[in-house]
Amino acid sequence: MKEIKIELRLCMGSSCYSRGNNEVLEAIKKYIEENQLQDIVDFRGHLCKGQCKKGPNFSIGEMEYHDVSLSNIHMVLEDYFKTHKVV
């Protein structure tokens, strides 16, 4: 039976990428590694979904986050994974 993973999606469209998701990408990868979440998350980038004005954009499962940055991505991840009792 295939294990269901938590989907993490980061917008890699040109607007979000240039507005900070290039740095957020590295912060998320570091968080996943430091918390040994590689086996339970499916982390991927995606192209623009047309919400550029709200970006940079990020989602965990069905939860969408807008205006993510280096200053708030760690809190977003901590809140999600602690609420779901993963870390």
Side-chain angles (χ1 to χ4, degrees), residues 14 52 57:
S14 59
C52 304
N57 301 300

Side-chain angles (χ1 to χ4, degrees), residues 1 19 23 27 29 53 57 60-62 64 67 72 77 81 83-84:
M1 185 162 95
R19 290 169 57 194
E23 296 172 329
K29 287 175 15 180
K53 290 185 181 192
N57 301 300
I60 303 175
E62 299 297 317
E64 291 189 14
D67 197 28
N72 66 16
L77 294 166
F81 286 108
T83 298
H84 292 83

Side-chain angles (χ1 to χ4, degrees), residues 2 8-9 18 26 36 69 74-76 84:
K2 187 176 179 179
L8 305 178
R9 300 293 183 256
S18 67
E26 296 305 319
Q36 301 172 346
S69 65
H74 190 267
M75 181 184 68
V76 167
H84 292 83

Side-chain angles (χ1 to χ4, degrees), residues 30-51:
K30 183 178 178 182
Y31 182 89
I32 291 170
E33 185 178 322
E34 287 177 349
N35 290 281
Q36 301 172 346
L37 299 172
Q38 299 90 333
D39 293 338
I40 65 165
V41 300
D42 178 18
F43 178 45
R44 299 177 192 207
H46 64 77
L47 295 179
C48 183
K49 292 185 178 180
Q51 296 190 23

